[in-house]
Each structure stands twice: as structure tokens, then as C-alpha cells.
Amino acid sequence: MVFALVACGSSNSNNPSTSTPGTSQPSGEAPTGVVAGTVVNFRLPVDMACLLPWAHATAANVYVQIYDTLFQPYKGDWNDIRGMLCTDYTMSEDGLTWVFQITDKATFSNGKKLTAQSIADCYDYTIKYQPGLFEGVESYEVTGEYELTFHMSTPNPGLLANLANVYSGICDAELVDQYGPESDQAAVGSGAYIVESKTVGSVTILKANPNYWIEEQQPKIETLKYWYIPDNNTAMSALQTGEIDVLDTNDYNTYDMLQGIDGLSYQTVYDQCRVLYINGQHGALQDVRVRQAIQCFIDVNEAEMAYHGGYGRVDGSFIRGTCDYSVPSGITYDVDKGLALLKEAGVDPSSLVLKMISNTDVSGYGENIQAQLKEVGITVEITTYDVTTSEAVIASGDFDLGIFRTDADVASGLIMAKTWLASDATKRVIWGSEEENARVDALIEKAAACITMEEQDEVMKEIQALILNELALAVPSPTPGRYYIYNSKLQNVIIDNSTCRVDWRWAYFAN
Amino acid sequence: MLKFICKRIIIAPVLLILSSLLIFLMINLTPVDPASQMLVGNYTQEQVDALHEELGLDDPLIVQYGRWLWNVLHGDFGKTYTSDRALVKNEVLPRIPVSLKVALITILVVVAVGLPLGVLCAVKQYSLADTLINLICKILGSVPQFLVGLLLLMLFGVKLRWLPTFGFTTWKHAILPVITLALPQIATFVRTTRSSMLDCIRKDYIRTARSKGASEKIVIFRDALKNAMLPLITMIGTEFAKLIGGAIVVENVFAIPGLGSRVIIAINQKDIPTVLCCVLFLSMFFIIATLVMDILYTLVDPRVKSSIMGSGKKAKKKAEKEAA
């Protein structure tokens, strides 16, 4: 197999995982094929509705097992994207034509041959449900039995990463035509596992594919059971009784409570950013000095301790794609500097009454910011909504301070920027003056025109530096971890370092 | 009697429509655009507009509601307003038997335990047994359900390892959730049975029965208990209906795929079709439960039956004739 290697830029040296990047330390010899009778019981905190690859974030843990993609983040590492169904590719100099060579070895688990036509047919559905993955794609056509050609309207260096995203997994589109794009009966891929059964709201069972086409990546565990357990306490109990082997949670208390228990292994991956956005369109906040002052009044380390108990991560990054775009933050916690800035702007801190939009997902964090700002005399009134409503309120611009989560489900930083940061973004979070917005938009356009990933990475850093350091429209916030606690007998557990999905092809039980 | 049942069955759809309309209007008050829930990643305004047109979201609310109702009447509950756009019926219908099973087993346990204890308390009023049972009921009634659930889970699941901690696949899985749901219900049921029985025991007809030499067993179980059953039937019916959609905490703690927890998720996601479908079924079960309650009243208390039978024109004429 010829590997198609795509670097994600130079900014990724700070790997987020506490252990080896998203990987447990294997011990002993890995078996060569499926070990009969081996079962992994995996806890899902959110139920999944549909098992088709483009459908739902909560089912993405299952998609990784069932579907193959054109490319893959090799062993969960988005800095090492390699070919999967694609054996080779070429890109024209202007970045507007991509030709992908497809393997002739792959078959769907129902025995049907996987060809370039199968991929094109599947993408016809994917593009409808996940249009962001096809950013810049004008059309694609089958140019040979095992050759697929993409025509771009604008270059998109993130295309390979997008085609490595689990949502662009390849399923048998003929079955989708037959059963409909919401039917689990059509959930047939060419991946290492096959769907055996699914009970709504309870469990989804996968079995190892006995005819998996990638010889060197044969699964070792026979059965995967994904249990939907909404309550963290119940999941903790189930882990202790051995009813489940892997607990996936974003609650640091759960992680904390299970520390030090014999027979358990731990991994932390950081996949989300929760950012405090400052609306520069209202009242005193229109003055950039006032916004900078607010940045100075917030001790992010204290917020991290209060909200994530020390298990989170403080960094200067809030644009997330397949990799971080951390920039040196020009913001430091400095109350005196903040007060001086307010004085310069002619604003009395006690005259500031700010409306903060929070949501149930970040409760605790907003209160901490409120307490910190109160210390300097600024009043913050918090309104807490559910996540979807808070997203809609922030997108409407009706806020002074807004906390919202942005995660790495989108494949490239450019998609993230277009989804959240642009002034015409449907989930807009950046609200500056017209001139300030225009500057952000211009940089996003510049990023969109880049042909190489390296160039685009540099522009993404510029965007972040502009929003954080110059325009002061956001406060880089502590990033929570996603915690995996699992049976120590499980070896070589590979967790995607960006999207936190476990690829069970690599794991095995120690003897 | 048949007329009474028919009348109630005819009113039922009206109630269902009203309850679903109310929920539909309330959930539409929130500023969330369902299109933003369904589209993932970087989508354009054109895509939002296209989805609006596809789903008819730009139509007046009453038109949207009418369309939904028409589709439901044709067995189509629509698709979820989430990114997967799953079929609502696939999401909701498999949960109904689970919720019914949990509610039914719980009510049976409540009646089986609560009724004899309540009768015992009434018959042995102010005895040690009465005081003890009352005390226990007060404690059980005041402890939050999630705490009871977690304590039972810790004890029987984690410490003793006798029972599974989550899921609802075998009879063993039902034990802890049913106990958790039943304990506070038993407490209320015992107290209601006790006070209802005490009311009846003090009535003249009980004194008359005793004076006629009827045995204490017959007096308690035939005369007193039968008359004390009216408020208990009301309680059983309403609690059963409430349990179908209201066991949210227990469904969450024990990971039971029931209706209650699903409707809460749907509300949080502003998934209107799923919420409406759940509300429709929950309202239907409530209406059925109250209808069954009314029928049971007539079996237990002849006065209720005669008042129902006596409300019609024919019955009035018959009564007038008899009077003449």
C-alpha cells in the first residue's frame, strides 16, 4: 500500500494525551487474528440513533469500526494521515483537481465489491448530511473502476483530512437506496466489524468481520458491545463490577473518583474547547480596551481548577480541527493592567453590568468567571439555557459574554472557522464591529484560498491571534479532557487524539 | 355503560389533539431553528433555507401542526430534528413496551405490598406495627428516588454483586429499578389505604355488619376494603399513567430505554416530532388509564354505576315512570 501522507502543520507538537498519543502501553504479544470469545463492553454516555456513517456524532465510535474511509488518521493520530481505501492520489498544481486511486482488495461485509462507483454513490448521501466535509468540492466523478476524480471550485488542502473523517465512511449505498438513509439495515461497510444487532436506547453489538480486507489490521477482539448508560454513577458501578470494560466520560469527578483502583487504566484526550466570547457590538464593550481589560481580569488557571479540577488544559487555542492552532497568547492575568485599561477608556468597573449566556454543559465555569469579575466590581448576570438554545442566542448576538463549546468533530480548522467565526456563519460566535468582522472574514477567505495545509495553518494562527490578542473578542479558556477508564487487561487501546474515538482494530486482551 | 365508554373514547382524540397542540406551540416558543440542529459543520444559509422548505418550517405554526397531525393519522410520525434524521417511530415505539412493563410491574408490587400493610395499619391502629410501618413510610416517602436507586445499586450491584447494575433485558435487571420506583409509591399507598380504611371502619354499615355477627375477616375484606377501594383505584390509575412517562430518574440511573428519559432528551434537542410523538402516546396512556379507572369504579361502587346509567335520557324517563 502506498501511503498518502499529509502533515497537519507544525503546531501540533504539544500532544494532548497524558500518555503516549491516544494509546495505552501494550504488554505481551498481540494475537494475529480474532480471539474467540473476547468481548469488550463499552459505555456510551449518549444514545445513538442511526448507524449510517454520516448520521450522528454520538454514533461515531461505532462508525470507526464498521466503515472504512479513503484515508485514516493512522492509529488515531491526525498528524499521520495515511491511505485506507485510497492507495495513491495526485493533486493538480492549482489544487483544483484531485485524482484518487482506490484499492481493488476491499469488499463490503455483505460480500459486494467496493469500487470507485460505490464510493461516489455513498458520497452522494454524505454530501447531503455533512456538507462541510466537501468544502470547495464542485463535483466528483468516477474515472475508472478504481479511480475517483474530485473537481474543486476552490482549493481545499484539508480535503484529505475530511475524507479521513469517520462521517465520510463508505457504506453500501445500494442498501441505503433500498432501505432509506435513516435505516440501520443499510449499515453495511467494509470495516473491521459488522453490526450484529441494535436495541434502541440500550445496546449495539458488533462482531469482528471474518473477511476484513486489510490483512495487517485484522481485529483481535471478537465482540464489541456499546451500552448506553447515561448516568456516570451507574457507569462507574458497572466498571467496578466488570459489567463494562471501558468507561467514556467527560466528567472529571468520575475520572477523579476512579483514580488508583486496581485493574484500571486511564487515558485523557482533549477534544473540545470551551471559550468565553466577548460581544464587541454592545455598550462599553465596543471599546477594545474594555474587552482587553476583561481578558486581564480572568485567571484562566483558576477557572480550570474550579471547573475541571486540574484535569483540564489551559492553552491559547480555540480553533480546533484535526490539529491545534495554539498561538502565544498576548493575554495575561493582570488586574492592575485591566483597571488601567478601563481608566484609560473612561469606564468605571462598577458601571459595567454584563449579560452572560451560559449553558448546562458549562455550568460552574460561568459562575467562576462571574466571581472573578465581581472582585473588580463588574456585575455579570448569568442566564443559563440548554446547549442548543444558548447556541441560538449567541448566534443571534444577544449577549455580552457567552460561553460555548466548539469541538473537533469538524475535520479541518477552516471548517471550524467558517462554521463559528465568520460573520455569515450560521453558528456565529464572533461579534465585533463591522470593521473588525471584516478583518476576520478576510483572513478566513485567505485561509480558504490556500493550496497547502502548511499555508492554511499559518493563516489559521493569524485568525486566532487577531481574535484573541488584537480584537479581544474571546478569552482562551481551559479545555476539558475526555476521560477513558478501562480494564487494564485491554492492551493497545488506540484513541483518536482529536475526536476521541477508539479504534478497536488494534486492541487485544492480555493473557 | 357502553354509551359512557363510547363517549369517553370519542372525547379521547380531542384531548390528544389539544395536548399535542399545546406542546407544539410551547416548544416553538424557543428561539432554536431545527435546521441548525440537523445540519452539521459549515453549512450555508441556502442549505438552511432548503431544509426549511423541505420541512415546511416557514409555514405558519398551525399549518405545520396540521401537517404533522395529518401525517400521524396516516401512521407517519416523521423524522427527528437531529443530524441523523432518524425515523421517530423507530426511536419511540420500541420504548413503549419497556415503559409499560416497568410501570405495570411497579404498580403490582405497590399494590401487593402496600394494600395489606395499609389494611394492617388501619385494623391495628396505634399498635406498634402501625407506628413502625408509618415511620418507615415517612422515611421512604421523603428520600429522593435517585438516592434510593444509587444506594440499592451500590449495595446489591457493587458490594454484594447479586444484581446487574444497568439495562433491562432479564427479570434480574427489573428488580432494582422496580424497587426504587415502588418504595416511595408503597409509602403513599400504605398511608392512603390506612386513612381510607379508617374512614370506612368507622361507618355505620360496618358497625351494623359487626352487630349482625359477621366475622372480622368478612367485615374488613368484604365490607370495609371494598368501600375503601375508590380512592385507591384513583391512585393506582394515575400513578400507573405517571410511571409510564415519569420514571425519568430511574430510567437514567439504571439505563432503561423508556419513554420518559427519551422525551427529556428530545426536549433538550428541540426535536419537535419526537416530543410530539412521545406526548401523544403518554397522553393516550393517561386517557386509557383514567377510562379503566372509571370502569373499575362502577364495578366496585354501584352508586357510581347508577349515576352513570342514570345520566342518560332513557334512564331519566325510566326513573320518572317508576316515580309515577
Side-chain angles (χ1 to χ4, degrees):
Chain A
M1 178 179 283
V2 180
F3 290 138
L5 189 69
V6 181
C8 242
S10 54
S11 59
N12 308 300
S13 52
N14 61 334
N15 200 296
S17 181
T18 49
S19 58
T20 311
T23 315
S24 68
Q25 298 299 318
S27 72
E29 192 81 354
T32 48
V34 175
V35 179
T38 46
V39 182
V40 167
N41 289 287
F42 188 102
R43 178 263 176 139
L44 285 177
V46 184
D47 192 21
M48 48 193 172
C50 180
L51 296 181
L52 289 171
W54 48 73
H56 206 255
T58 52
N61 244 315
V62 172
Y63 303 156
V64 183
Q65 329 305 333
I66 312 171
Y67 306 108
D68 289 328
T69 39
L70 249 60
F71 295 88
Q72 62 174 327
Y74 190 68
K75 294 198 170 183
D77 187 356
W78 285 87
N79 300 322
D80 184 10
I81 295 179
R82 299 186 185 185
M84 198 176 197
L85 289 168
C86 177
T87 54
D88 196 8
Y89 76 95
T90 55
M91 180 186 75
S92 63
E93 270 186 22
D94 58 5
L96 295 178
T97 308
W98 298 69
V99 180
F100 299 103
Q101 304 301 326
I102 312 297
T103 178
D104 59 358
K105 292 179 190 162
T107 51
F108 288 112
S109 58
N110 58 7
K112 218 180 277 178
K113 200 82 189 148
L114 193 153
T115 62
Q117 188 62 53
S118 321
I119 295 171
D121 291 345
C122 180
Y123 282 166
D124 288 346
Y125 283 103
T126 316
I127 200 166
K128 188 178 163 196
Y129 285 82
Q130 299 279 346
L133 294 177
F134 292 82
E135 182 74 36
V137 176
E138 195 172 68
S139 64
Y140 44 84
E141 60 175 328
V142 177
T143 43
E145 193 181 1
Y146 295 103
E147 188 181 276
L148 194 63
T149 303
F150 273 59
H151 302 287
M152 314 293 288
S153 54
T154 51
N156 179 6
L159 182 65
L160 298 191
N162 291 353
L163 299 180
N165 190 298
V166 282
Y167 300 120
S168 60
I170 306 302
C171 66
D172 184 350
E174 279 179 28
L175 291 177
V176 185
D177 295 339
Q178 190 181 337
Y179 295 110
E182 60 286 311
S183 171
D184 289 335
Q185 283 173 285
V188 171
S190 59
Y193 285 88
I194 303 169
V195 181
E196 187 179 74
S197 66
K198 183 186 159 204
T199 309
V200 171
S202 180
V203 62
T204 300
I205 302 173
L206 309 183
K207 285 277 179 191
N209 181 354
N211 305 313
Y212 189 47
W213 65 279
I214 308 180
E215 274 174 28
E216 63 272 25
Q217 293 180 20
Q218 293 294 320
K220 283 95 190 161
I221 291 161
E222 188 181 37
T223 309
L224 304 177
K225 291 186 180 179
Y226 289 87
W227 295 95
Y228 166 49
I229 308 174
D231 189 79
N232 275 325
N233 294 309
T234 310
M236 279 198 287
S237 304
L239 185 71
Q240 289 177 70
T241 59
E243 287 168 272
I244 57 168
D245 301 294
V246 188
L247 192 154
D248 159 13
T249 179
N250 55 10
D251 174 31
Y252 81 82
N253 283 312
T254 303
Y255 188 65
D256 199 37
M257 278 188 265
L258 289 170
Q259 289 290 323
I261 294 178
D262 282 346
L264 294 179
S265 297
Y266 310 85
Q267 276 191 69
T268 310
V269 188
Y270 300 91
D271 70 331
Q272 295 175 349
C273 306
R274 284 166 191 170
V275 182
L276 179 74
Y277 295 103
I278 305 174
N279 190 338
Q281 295 198 328
H282 297 155
L285 293 176
Q286 289 176 77
D287 189 328
V288 71
R289 289 168 298 185
V290 179
R291 303 199 297 261
Q292 283 169 340
I294 286 171
Q295 287 182 323
C296 291
F297 294 144
I298 296 171
D299 183 351
V300 188
N301 286 299
E302 190 197 309
E304 196 282 326
M305 277 307 292
Y307 183 46
H308 304 303
Y311 291 104
R313 185 182 64 168
V314 176
D315 61 23
S317 171
F318 70 91
I319 299 177
R320 294 292 302 273
T322 51
C323 45
D324 291 341
Y325 297 96
S326 292
V327 288
S329 173
I331 307 159
T332 44
Y333 172 58
D334 188 340
V335 176
D336 292 336
K337 188 181 166 191
L339 288 171
L341 280 163
L342 281 187
K343 198 175 174 185
E344 198 184 310
V347 175
D348 177 6
S350 60
S351 70
L352 285 174
V353 180
L354 303 177
K355 178 181 169 185
M356 179 189 277
I357 302 298
S358 182
N359 63 63
T360 45
D361 199 28
V362 292
S363 54
Y365 178 46
E367 282 78 357
N368 186 273
I369 302 292
Q370 182 187 42
Q372 290 195 39
L373 292 178
K374 195 180 176 185
E375 279 177 27
V376 290
I378 297 174
T379 305
V380 175
E381 291 168 353
I382 303 178
T383 309
T384 305
Y385 295 104
D386 59 80
V387 177
T388 47
T389 309
S390 74
E391 183 183 45
V393 174
I394 291 173
S396 74
D398 185 18
F399 70 102
D400 295 318
L401 303 175
I403 309 173
F404 202 71
R405 176 192 75 193
T406 50
D407 56 40
D409 269 343
V410 284
S412 78
L414 179 63
I415 293 177
M416 194 273 178
K418 285 194 166 188
T419 308
W420 309 91
L421 311 180
S423 57
D424 63 348
T426 37
K427 295 180 177 178
R428 184 176 175 185
V429 290
I430 296 299
W431 292 85
S433 66
E434 254 180 53
E435 188 209 328
E436 288 165 342
N437 292 335
R439 288 180 67 190
V440 176
D441 290 344
L443 279 181
I444 294 172
E445 271 177 40
K446 188 179 164 189
C450 292
I451 294 177
T452 67
M453 204 68 190
E454 287 76 12
E455 281 176 71
Q456 198 177 70
D457 283 349
E458 285 309 310
V459 185
M460 298 312 298
K461 285 183 197 171
E462 272 184 66
I463 296 173
Q464 187 151 273
L466 175 71
I467 290 172
L468 292 180
N469 301 341
E470 200 177 327
L471 305 181
L473 290 168
V475 177
S477 298
T479 300
R482 185 146 202 100
Y483 311 105
Y484 281 87
I485 307 128
Y486 53 88
N487 183 342
S488 291
K489 285 182 182 169
L490 276 167
Q491 302 295 308
N492 209 25
V493 177
I494 305 282
I495 303 173
D496 185 320
N497 67 5
S498 180
T499 61
C500 297
R501 273 117 209 185
V502 186
D503 185 343
W504 288 106
R505 278 176 301 174
W506 309 99
Y508 58 91
F509 277 101
N511 291 326
Chain B
M1 186 67 184
L2 192 68
K3 198 178 170 187
F4 166 75
I5 294 171
C6 288
K7 208 192 265 178
R8 293 293 298 270
I9 291 172
I10 290 165
I11 295 169
V14 180
L15 293 174
L16 289 177
I17 289 170
L18 284 176
S19 56
S20 58
L21 178 63
L22 193 69
I23 297 291
F24 181 81
L25 294 175
M26 280 166 70
I27 205 162
N28 268 297
L29 287 175
T30 55
V32 177
D33 179 1
S36 69
Q37 302 304 301
M38 299 169 78
L39 292 166
V40 184
N42 176 35
Y43 50 85
T44 61
Q45 191 55 46
E46 287 75 42
Q47 285 166 323
V48 173
D49 294 343
L51 199 54
H52 273 221
E53 201 177 318
E54 186 188 327
L55 301 170
L57 293 174
D58 295 327
D59 294 335
L61 284 183
I62 201 71
V63 175
Q64 290 182 42
Y65 177 76
R67 192 186 306 117
W68 172 81
L69 192 62
W70 179 255
N71 290 337
V72 166
L73 290 172
H74 291 80
D76 176 11
F77 291 94
K79 291 179 184 177
T80 57
Y81 280 0
T82 51
S83 60
D84 48 40
R85 300 182 216 180
L87 289 176
V88 171
K89 68 174 181 188
N90 290 351
E91 278 295 291
V92 175
L93 299 189
R95 294 167 188 270
I96 293 173
V98 177
S99 284
L100 284 173
K101 220 182 275 179
V102 172
L104 194 67
I105 301 171
T106 305
I107 282 297
L108 288 176
V109 170
V110 169
V111 175
V113 178
L115 195 67
L117 287 180
V119 172
L120 178 72
C121 288
V123 175
K124 308 274 181 194
Q125 195 187 7
Y126 303 132
S127 66
L128 182 65
D130 179 33
T131 316
L132 264 178
I133 291 169
N134 260 311
L135 184 72
I136 293 168
C137 286
K138 274 176 192 159
I139 295 168
L140 288 179
S142 57
V143 181
Q145 217 165 37
F146 75 90
L147 192 63
V148 175
L150 284 175
L151 290 174
L152 289 173
L153 193 141
M154 290 304 293
L155 180 63
F156 296 104
V158 181
K159 284 271 172 210
L160 301 170
R161 310 242 167 147
W162 289 350
L163 295 167
T165 54
F166 70 92
F168 199 73
T169 43
T170 63
W171 64 269
K172 270 188 169 183
H173 287 91
I175 295 174
L176 291 183
V178 164
I179 292 175
T180 311
L181 282 170
L183 284 178
Q185 307 270 7
I186 289 171
T188 320
F189 200 81
V190 167
R191 276 180 289 171
T192 315
T193 311
R194 181 181 181 271
S195 63
S196 185
M197 278 292 286
L198 284 173
D199 269 358
C200 290
I201 285 170
R202 289 174 191 138
K203 291 268 163 63
D204 287 346
Y205 60 82
I206 296 293
R207 208 171 297 128
T208 311
R210 280 193 178 125
S211 65
K212 278 183 172 176
S215 73
E216 193 61 14
K217 255 188 193 170
I218 288 177
V219 170
I220 297 298
F221 290 104
R222 191 193 64 188
D223 300 326
L225 185 58
K226 198 175 173 189
N227 285 293
M229 280 305 283
L230 274 183
L232 300 181
I233 287 171
T234 314
M235 199 181 153
I236 293 168
T238 47
E239 290 305 317
F240 175 71
K242 273 201 282 186
L243 277 171
I244 296 170
I248 299 155
V249 173
V250 170
E251 281 176 15
N252 262 319
V253 169
F254 294 102
I256 298 170
L259 268 182
S261 48
R262 187 65 187 86
V263 78
I264 295 297
I265 292 169
I267 289 169
N268 283 331
Q269 293 174 330
K270 302 290 174 292
D271 179 4
I272 299 169
T274 308
V275 173
L276 287 175
C277 183
C278 291
V279 167
L280 199 71
F281 280 105
L282 291 174
S283 309
M284 197 173 77
F285 290 127
F286 200 87
I287 289 165
I288 292 171
T290 49
L291 179 64
V292 172
M293 255 158 44
D294 288 344
I295 295 167
L296 283 176
Y297 282 158
T298 62
L299 296 177
V300 172
D301 191 341
R303 287 169 304 177
V304 179
K305 190 176 181 179
S306 64
S307 71
I308 291 169
M309 304 288 272
S311 62
K313 280 181 186 173
K314 273 186 186 172
K316 274 179 190 168
K317 274 184 187 171
K318 196 180 169 188
E320 277 166 16
K321 261 187 192 175
E322 277 174 8

